[in-house]
Amino acid sequence: KLLAPLLSEWLPKMAERGLSEDGARAIMASKAPDMRATLEHIRVRYGSSEGYLREIGLPESVTSAVRARTLA
């Protein structure tokens, strides 16, 4: 539910990269146990989601934008 507004923005961008709408929706859908396991892995390995974003090389400006978009 929380990602629905972002999904409508991201679907065209994903299509530009050759991903079908069904494929994009499948990637963006997660069952609760899968998401909990993913978040736990990120917490254990990187300390936080922000730590993960830094580890993959995103600049602080992008990390701040992600935080603003997802915590609003």
Side-chain angles (χ1 to χ4, degrees):
K1 287 191 262 185
L2 296 175
L3 290 179
L6 295 176
L7 185 60
S8 64
E9 178 184 330
W10 292 344
L11 283 174
K13 293 175 183 178
M14 295 170 105
E16 288 173 8
R17 293 181 171 90
L19 192 59
S20 70
E21 183 172 332
D22 288 342
R25 288 182 182 281
I27 287 171
M28 297 301 295
S30 298
K31 294 184 178 170
D34 297 333
M35 184 54 78
R36 280 192 290 275
T38 299
L39 293 172
E40 177 64 9
H41 170 76
I42 289 171
R43 187 191 65 74
V44 168
R45 183 157 183 181
Y46 304 102
S48 67
S49 56
E50 289 179 22
Y52 168 74
L53 296 176
R54 279 191 299 276
E55 180 70 23
I56 64 170
L58 290 182
E60 179 58 34
S61 60
V62 174
T63 302
S64 295
V66 169
R67 183 184 316 108
R69 296 279 310 264
T70 57
L71 297 178

